[in-house]
């Protein structure tokens, strides 16, 4: 009875209770073709920037799929075929559950106590791999399939291209899979925002030979297996990645491609995800297997090692969880610390952090005394404080009814920067027919992702005032 009522109300909201996996259909005529299905218009390619040669490769591309156990992916003939083209990493792990903290960890070196997929905006003094890359003139971009336009900060629903008869908009794009928009050190800098692009931009950038040197690709919620299954994602890989491996504007002898999953599906087991190293940079190692213990922090340390970058002074410098890809370590004489006891990476729950509303502490200072795999200094910006807050007693904002200043109102949407489309806002309960909820005003209590640092500080002061009251 309860179930009937629930499914009836879900049906009214246009959500199908028993989601069936659709059959894959290509969103565009080819991986480097533009398509109306991507919604956002292309605005021209990025400028062509010279590639900075690294010790093992001069381009690093990571592609993130979703929520699949190792054995499930291994059973797919597509994944097996791809494995024969590169190195299969059999002990590569997500760092926690659910999705969003894994994405954040992959660029910021920590997940700051985040334990859900809510709308966060990490303050400007959280540095990321982007700071390290830019300090060495290594060009970068992220391609987020079905993100409607540059600067868009919400979730986005649009016409369902897999079911042309459906009148219900489908949410193909979610903020939680775009770590760049979650970090204000990126999201508050327009020049950086222009490098977070969609797949129409990807098509134009590839064709113009303008792909940057460091790339993070997030397929949409059906193509990354989030809403579908391994059969579907395998079909997407056959459509997208298999031909791109043969495209010299994407993959050449100095390209390393990391194909991975954000996390596994079964929270009750170690968080190992089927991960491949592909591309010309590993052509001498085709069909080999590497059982070194890696995590998403390894993609940070490996890139730092390749280009001799600085570090973030966070888990990217923790040798237990941040081994450098072994084929590369052999080339650069980097020594990985191999431990017999591998830590469990399926931890979930409430750890202290700026994103943990129930155990809140400020953004902790990076460890300034470590040297990461790149050998360079720990990055600090003019907004980083090195005041250690490691011993700060966590406070329970939830109990105090104080909204965490590191969260934003899910209804908040940044203004478009010139490529406006008829966006349809989709916070979970938004009416499918409503147009973009472009309110730049934040509701009471929410920090605004675009507040300048001074105002963020003001908010924190306000919040402490509330505490004292
Ligand atoms: C994925 O879903 C489709 C459609 O429901 C189904 O035919 C296929 O067998 C599923 N794949 C797996 C591996 O379960
Ligand atoms: C969108 O994708 C569907 C499914 O593959 C396809 O039939 C349609 O032609 C595509 N639309 C555009 C504008 O490319
Ligand atoms: C890659 O190919 C280019 C052009 O053919 C060549 O100049 C370069 O040395 C090659 N790099 C490696 C690492 O083999
Ligand atoms: C993590 O996985 C281990 C098995 O590898 C299991 O014993 C443990 O209960 C899991 N932890 C959580 C929080 O589910
Ligand atoms: C390094 O990672 C391990 C495993 O997650 C953890 O136990 C340890 O506390 C970490 N070290 C530091 C300095 O964060
Ligand atoms: C790295 O070098 C070691 C020692 O020479 C060797 O055993 C190992 O197979 C190499 N690993 C890779 C991935 O090349
Ligand atoms: C690594 O060590 C070997 C042997 O000592 C040396 O020949 C090589 O130049 C070193 N490579 C790098 C990148 O430092
Ligand atoms: C920090 O540096 C950036 C760019 O270099 C500048 O725009 C910003 O105003 C500076 N902020 C502070 C607080 O000094
Ligand atoms: C980051 O800024 C907040 C104030 O906005 C401050 O409380 C915190 O200590 C800072 N942390 C670092 C590492 O700069
Ligand atoms: C924080 O407060 C809430 C609301 O009172 C409570 O449910 C929760 O258990 C507390 N969390 C912790 C970690 O103490
Ligand atoms: C978001 O917008 C919806 C629809 O207008 C509204 O019901 C909801 O309260 C808003 N949420 C917040 C947190 O402001
Ligand atoms: C798109 O192009 C226009 C005109 O060249 C420019 O003003 C605008 O900033 C661009 N927008 C983006 C998102 O790149």
């Amino acid at each position: 009875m309860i179930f009937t009522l629930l499914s009836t109300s879900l049906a009214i909201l246009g959500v199908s209770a028993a989601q069936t996996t659709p059959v894959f259909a290509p969103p565009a005529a080819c991986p480097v073709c533009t398509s109306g299905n991507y919604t956002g218009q292309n605005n021209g390619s990025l400028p062509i920037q010279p590639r900075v040669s690294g010790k093992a490769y001069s381009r690093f591309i990571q592609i993130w799929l979703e929520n699949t156990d190792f054995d499930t992916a291994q059973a797919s003939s597509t994944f097996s075929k791809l494995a024969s083209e590169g190195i299969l990493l059999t002990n590569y792990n997500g760092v926690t559950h659910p999705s969003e903290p894994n994405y954040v960890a992959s660029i910021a070196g920590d997940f700051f106590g985040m334990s859900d997929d809510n709308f966060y905006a990490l303050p400007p003094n959280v540095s990321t791999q982007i700071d390290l890359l830019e300090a060495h003139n290594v060009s970068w971009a992220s391609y987020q399939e079905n993100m409607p336009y540059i600067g868009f900060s919400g979730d986005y629903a649009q016409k369902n291209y897999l079911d042309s008869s459906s009148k219900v908009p489908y949410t193909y794009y979610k903020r939680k899979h775009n770590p760049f928009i979650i970090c204000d050190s990126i999201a508050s800098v327009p020049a950086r925002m222009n490098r977070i692009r969609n797949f129409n931009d990807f098509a134009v950038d590839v064709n113009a030979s303008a792909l940057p040197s460091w790339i993070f690709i997030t397929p949409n919620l059906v193509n990354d297996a989030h809403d579908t299954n391994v059969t579907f994602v395998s079909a997407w890989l056959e459509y997208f990645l298999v031909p791109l491996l043969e495209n010299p504007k994407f993959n050449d002898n100095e390209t390393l491609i990391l194909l991975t999953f954000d996390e596994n599906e079964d929270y009750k087991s170690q968080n190992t995800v089927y991960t491949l190293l592909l591309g010309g940079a590993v052509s001498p190692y085709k069909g080999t297997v590497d059982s070194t213990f890696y995590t998403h922090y390894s993609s940070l340390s490996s890139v730092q090692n390749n280009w001799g970058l600085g570090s973030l002074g966070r888990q990217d410098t923790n040798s237990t969880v941040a081994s450098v890809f072994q084929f590369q370590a052999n080339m650069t004489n980097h020594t990985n610390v191999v431990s017999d006891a591998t830590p469990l990476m399926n931890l979930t729950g409430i750890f202290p952090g700026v994103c943990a509303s129930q155990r809140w502490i400020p953004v902790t200072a990076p460890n300034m005394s470590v040297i990461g795999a790149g050998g360079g200094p720990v990055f600090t910006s003019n907004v980083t404080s090195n005041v250690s807050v490691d011993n700060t007693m966590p406070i329970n904002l939830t109990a105090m009814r104080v909204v965490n200043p590191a969260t934003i109102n899910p209804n908040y949407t940044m203004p478009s920067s010139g490529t406006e489309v008829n966006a349809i806002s989709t916070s979970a309960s938004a009416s499918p027919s409503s147009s973009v909820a472009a309110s730049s005003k934040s509701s009471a209590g929410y920090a605004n992702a675009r507040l300048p640092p001074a105002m963020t500080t003001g908010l924190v002061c306000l919040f402490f005032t509330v505490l004292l009251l």
Side-chain angles (χ1 to χ4, degrees):
M1 180 59 183
I2 291 170
F3 176 74
T4 314
L5 279 178
L6 181 68
S7 54
T8 308
S9 46
L10 284 175
I12 291 166
L13 285 173
V15 179
S16 126
Q19 287 226 333
T20 49
T21 296
V23 174
F24 173 78
C30 79
V32 292
C33 298
T34 58
S35 166
N37 286 330
Y38 296 143
T39 308
Q41 295 144 27
N42 167 261
N43 205 32
S45 78
L46 287 171
I48 298 175
Q49 286 176 269
R51 276 156 68 177
V52 177
S53 52
K55 292 175 188 146
Y57 39 88
S58 64
R59 176 182 284 147
F60 179 71
I61 299 173
Q62 52 186 316
I63 304 173
W64 276 48
L65 308 173
E66 279 270 324
N67 305 3
T68 301
D69 289 335
F70 186 95
D71 293 348
T72 307
Q74 191 166 39
S76 151
S77 58
T78 296
F79 282 94
S80 306
K81 181 176 77 181
L82 286 170
S84 71
E85 295 294 315
I87 305 175
L88 169 62
L89 308 181
T90 54
N91 198 2
Y92 186 103
N93 295 270
V95 298
T96 185
H97 292 294
S99 293
E100 187 173 348
N102 282 292
Y103 286 80
V104 166
S106 78
I107 65 164
D110 198 347
F111 53 88
F112 303 96
M114 191 185 293
S115 62
D116 54 37
D117 285 329
N118 292 346
F119 272 44
Y120 291 96
L122 289 168
N125 60 9
V126 171
S127 309
T128 72
Q129 189 88 333
I130 300 309
D131 294 300
L132 309 180
L133 293 166
E134 287 188 354
H136 278 248
N137 293 316
V138 179
S139 61
W140 65 277
S142 175
Y143 297 97
Q144 301 275 329
E145 191 170 18
N146 293 87
M147 185 181 78
Y149 54 82
I150 283 175
F152 180 79
S153 68
D155 293 345
Y156 185 75
Q158 61 168 75
K159 187 166 172 41
N160 185 336
Y161 69 78
L162 292 176
D163 177 4
S164 54
S165 68
S166 172
K167 300 270 185 291
V168 182
Y170 196 93
T171 303
Y172 286 104
Y173 168 81
K174 286 207 165 186
R175 176 187 173 95
K176 66 178 179 174
H177 295 167
N178 179 349
F180 307 91
I181 198 92
I182 296 166
C183 295
D184 277 1
S185 62
I186 299 168
S188 63
V189 181
R192 289 179 166 184
M193 289 300 279
N194 283 340
R195 294 188 165 267
I196 309 169
R197 300 159 70 76
N198 74 13
F199 272 31
N200 278 334
D201 301 310
F202 175 77
V204 171
D205 286 350
V206 174
N207 290 321
S209 297
L211 271 194
S213 292
W214 184 96
I215 293 163
F216 192 110
I217 296 178
T218 303
N220 71 28
L221 292 197
V222 291
N223 292 334
D224 72 1
H226 181 278
D227 294 357
T228 58
N229 66 11
V230 72
T231 308
F232 193 103
V233 77
S234 298
W236 178 76
L237 286 166
E238 298 280 358
Y239 151 78
F240 185 80
L241 185 58
V242 170
L244 280 176
L245 290 177
E246 305 300 323
N247 184 337
K249 292 178 173 177
F250 180 85
N251 177 27
D252 59 22
N253 63 349
E254 294 182 9
T255 299
L256 179 66
I257 300 160
L258 174 72
L259 178 67
T260 190
F261 294 83
D262 69 328
E263 57 179 333
N264 75 347
E265 176 90 330
D266 173 20
Y267 283 32
K268 297 282 172 224
S269 65
Q270 173 66 311
N271 204 355
T272 308
V273 286
Y274 192 95
T275 299
L276 296 171
L277 293 176
L278 298 163
V282 294
S283 55
Y285 312 100
K286 275 188 183 182
T288 62
V289 173
D290 173 3
S291 61
T292 308
F293 176 76
Y294 300 110
T295 75
H296 290 315
Y297 300 124
S298 299
S299 71
L300 291 171
S301 60
S302 296
V303 164
Q304 292 163 11
N305 177 254
N306 180 59
W307 275 296
L309 307 182
S311 80
L312 302 171
R314 300 195 187 276
Q315 295 303 306
D316 56 323
T317 59
N318 182 340
S319 56
T320 308
V321 291
S323 280
V324 168
F325 302 132
Q326 192 58 52
F327 90 92
Q328 174 185 334
N330 281 11
M331 295 168 77
T332 65
N333 296 335
H334 176 84
T335 305
N336 283 323
V337 174
V338 184
S339 155
D340 288 340
T342 53
L344 283 172
M345 305 305 289
N346 59 335
L347 300 176
T348 56
I350 314 292
F351 299 100
V354 76
C355 298
S357 298
Q358 295 187 29
R359 295 190 70 191
W360 190 88
I361 54 171
V363 175
T364 52
N367 178 352
M368 298 303 298
S369 62
V370 285
I371 296 172
V378 176
F379 181 87
T380 54
S381 77
N382 58 358
V383 293
T384 315
S385 148
N386 60 6
V387 177
S388 171
V389 291
D390 290 353
N391 298 320
T392 306
M393 190 66 97
I395 51 180
N396 189 337
L397 300 182
T398 309
M400 291 160 169
R401 296 172 188 272
V402 173
V403 176
N404 185 341
T407 58
I408 60 163
N409 186 332
N411 292 344
Y412 171 70
T413 297
M414 281 185 213
S416 149
S417 58
T419 43
E420 182 95 54
V421 291
N422 291 320
I424 299 162
S425 137
T426 54
S427 58
S429 59
S431 147
S433 59
S434 72
S435 63
V436 68
S439 157
S440 58
K441 294 187 185 109
S442 55
S443 287
Y446 278 100
N448 178 320
R450 301 282 282 183
L451 286 182
M455 288 196 65
T456 313
T457 313
L459 243 168
V460 173
C461 294
L462 170 72
F463 142 75
F464 278 113
T465 313
V466 173
L467 279 188
L468 292 173
L469 293 173

PDB file of all heavy atoms in Angstrom, residues 55-57 252-254 280-281 331, ligand 3:
ATOM      1  N   LYS A  55      57.955  13.644 -18.040  1.00  0.00           N
ATOM      2  CA  LYS A  55      58.946  12.567 -18.008  1.00  0.00           C
ATOM      3  C   LYS A  55      58.421  11.291 -18.665  1.00  0.00           C
ATOM      4  O   LYS A  55      59.197  10.486 -19.166  1.00  0.00           O
ATOM      5  CB  LYS A  55      59.331  12.263 -16.553  1.00  0.00           C
ATOM      6  CG  LYS A  55      60.114  13.407 -15.912  1.00  0.00           C
ATOM      7  CD  LYS A  55      60.377  13.116 -14.434  1.00  0.00           C
ATOM      8  CE  LYS A  55      60.971  14.346 -13.754  1.00  0.00           C
ATOM      9  NZ  LYS A  55      60.528  14.472 -12.359  1.00  0.00           N
ATOM     10  N   ALA A  56      57.086  11.099 -18.661  1.00  0.00           N
ATOM     11  CA  ALA A  56      56.538   9.862 -19.231  1.00  0.00           C
ATOM     12  C   ALA A  56      55.451  10.123 -20.273  1.00  0.00           C
ATOM     13  O   ALA A  56      55.109   9.227 -21.044  1.00  0.00           O
ATOM     14  CB  ALA A  56      55.972   8.973 -18.121  1.00  0.00           C
ATOM     15  N   TYR A  57      54.885  11.319 -20.290  1.00  0.00           N
ATOM     16  CA  TYR A  57      53.834  11.666 -21.270  1.00  0.00           C
ATOM     17  C   TYR A  57      53.677  13.181 -21.267  1.00  0.00           C
ATOM     18  O   TYR A  57      54.087  13.859 -20.315  1.00  0.00           O
ATOM     19  CB  TYR A  57      52.490  10.986 -20.929  1.00  0.00           C
ATOM     20  CG  TYR A  57      52.158  10.931 -19.444  1.00  0.00           C
ATOM     21  CD1 TYR A  57      51.479  11.971 -18.818  1.00  0.00           C
ATOM     22  CD2 TYR A  57      52.542   9.836 -18.655  1.00  0.00           C
ATOM     23  CE1 TYR A  57      51.182  11.934 -17.455  1.00  0.00           C
ATOM     24  CE2 TYR A  57      52.267   9.792 -17.290  1.00  0.00           C
ATOM     25  CZ  TYR A  57      51.582  10.839 -16.712  1.00  0.00           C
ATOM     26  OH  TYR A  57      51.291  10.815 -15.365  1.00  0.00           O
ATOM     27  N   ASP A 252      48.139  10.103 -28.948  1.00  0.00           N
ATOM     28  CA  ASP A 252      49.367   9.926 -29.712  1.00  0.00           C
ATOM     29  C   ASP A 252      50.407   9.248 -28.818  1.00  0.00           C
ATOM     30  O   ASP A 252      50.070   8.800 -27.714  1.00  0.00           O
ATOM     31  CB  ASP A 252      49.861  11.261 -30.291  1.00  0.00           C
ATOM     32  CG  ASP A 252      50.126  12.301 -29.212  1.00  0.00           C
ATOM     33  OD1 ASP A 252      50.343  11.918 -28.040  1.00  0.00           O
ATOM     34  OD2 ASP A 252      50.113  13.503 -29.528  1.00  0.00           O
ATOM     35  N   ASN A 253      51.633   9.189 -29.271  1.00  0.00           N
ATOM     36  CA  ASN A 253      52.646   8.404 -28.549  1.00  0.00           C
ATOM     37  C   ASN A 253      53.017   9.013 -27.192  1.00  0.00           C
ATOM     38  O   ASN A 253      53.738   8.397 -26.427  1.00  0.00           O
ATOM     39  CB  ASN A 253      53.889   8.184 -29.434  1.00  0.00           C
ATOM     40  CG  ASN A 253      54.575   9.496 -29.797  1.00  0.00           C
ATOM     41  OD1 ASN A 253      54.022  10.579 -29.556  1.00  0.00           O
ATOM     42  ND2 ASN A 253      55.761   9.413 -30.367  1.00  0.00           N
ATOM     43  N   GLU A 254      52.524  10.221 -26.911  1.00  0.00           N
ATOM     44  CA  GLU A 254      52.829  10.835 -25.616  1.00  0.00           C
ATOM     45  C   GLU A 254      51.574  11.059 -24.782  1.00  0.00           C
ATOM     46  O   GLU A 254      51.532  11.938 -23.925  1.00  0.00           O
ATOM     47  CB  GLU A 254      53.579  12.155 -25.840  1.00  0.00           C
ATOM     48  CG  GLU A 254      54.952  11.927 -26.460  1.00  0.00           C
ATOM     49  CD  GLU A 254      55.749  13.209 -26.641  1.00  0.00           C
ATOM     50  OE1 GLU A 254      55.331  14.264 -26.134  1.00  0.00           O
ATOM     51  OE2 GLU A 254      56.805  13.137 -27.312  1.00  0.00           O
ATOM     52  N   GLY A 280      49.126   5.942 -26.208  1.00  0.00           N
ATOM     53  CA  GLY A 280      50.456   5.700 -26.762  1.00  0.00           C
ATOM     54  C   GLY A 280      51.548   5.607 -25.714  1.00  0.00           C
ATOM     55  O   GLY A 280      52.543   4.891 -25.914  1.00  0.00           O
ATOM     56  N   ALA A 281      51.369   6.297 -24.583  1.00  0.00           N
ATOM     57  CA  ALA A 281      52.422   6.291 -23.562  1.00  0.00           C
ATOM     58  C   ALA A 281      52.634   4.910 -22.952  1.00  0.00           C
ATOM     59  O   ALA A 281      53.687   4.651 -22.369  1.00  0.00           O
ATOM     60  CB  ALA A 281      52.095   7.302 -22.460  1.00  0.00           C
ATOM     61  N   MET A 331      60.214   4.733 -15.005  1.00  0.00           N
ATOM     62  CA  MET A 331      60.867   5.669 -15.929  1.00  0.00           C
ATOM     63  C   MET A 331      61.467   6.861 -15.195  1.00  0.00           C
ATOM     64  O   MET A 331      62.434   7.458 -15.653  1.00  0.00           O
ATOM     65  CB  MET A 331      59.858   6.182 -16.967  1.00  0.00           C
ATOM     66  CG  MET A 331      59.332   5.116 -17.891  1.00  0.00           C
ATOM     67  SD  MET A 331      57.918   5.707 -18.856  1.00  0.00           S
ATOM     68  CE  MET A 331      58.722   6.708 -20.087  1.00  0.00           C
TER      69      MET A 331
HETATM   70  C1  LIG B   3      56.351  10.773 -30.563  1.00  0.00           C
HETATM   71  O1  LIG B   3      56.270  11.009 -31.951  1.00  0.00           O
HETATM   72  C2  LIG B   3      56.893  12.225 -32.330  1.00  0.00           C
HETATM   73  C3  LIG B   3      56.591  12.463 -33.802  1.00  0.00           C
HETATM   74  O2  LIG B   3      56.572  11.281 -34.502  1.00  0.00           O
HETATM   75  C4  LIG B   3      58.375  12.158 -32.035  1.00  0.00           C
HETATM   76  O3  LIG B   3      59.004  13.366 -32.401  1.00  0.00           O
HETATM   77  C5  LIG B   3      58.548  11.910 -30.556  1.00  0.00           C
HETATM   78  O4  LIG B   3      59.912  11.750 -30.261  1.00  0.00           O
HETATM   79  C6  LIG B   3      57.781  10.687 -30.105  1.00  0.00           C
HETATM   80  N1  LIG B   3      57.827  10.604 -28.656  1.00  0.00           N
HETATM   81  C7  LIG B   3      58.031   9.465 -28.005  1.00  0.00           C
HETATM   82  C8  LIG B   3      57.996   9.532 -26.514  1.00  0.00           C
HETATM   83  O5  LIG B   3      58.231   8.418 -28.576  1.00  0.00           O
END
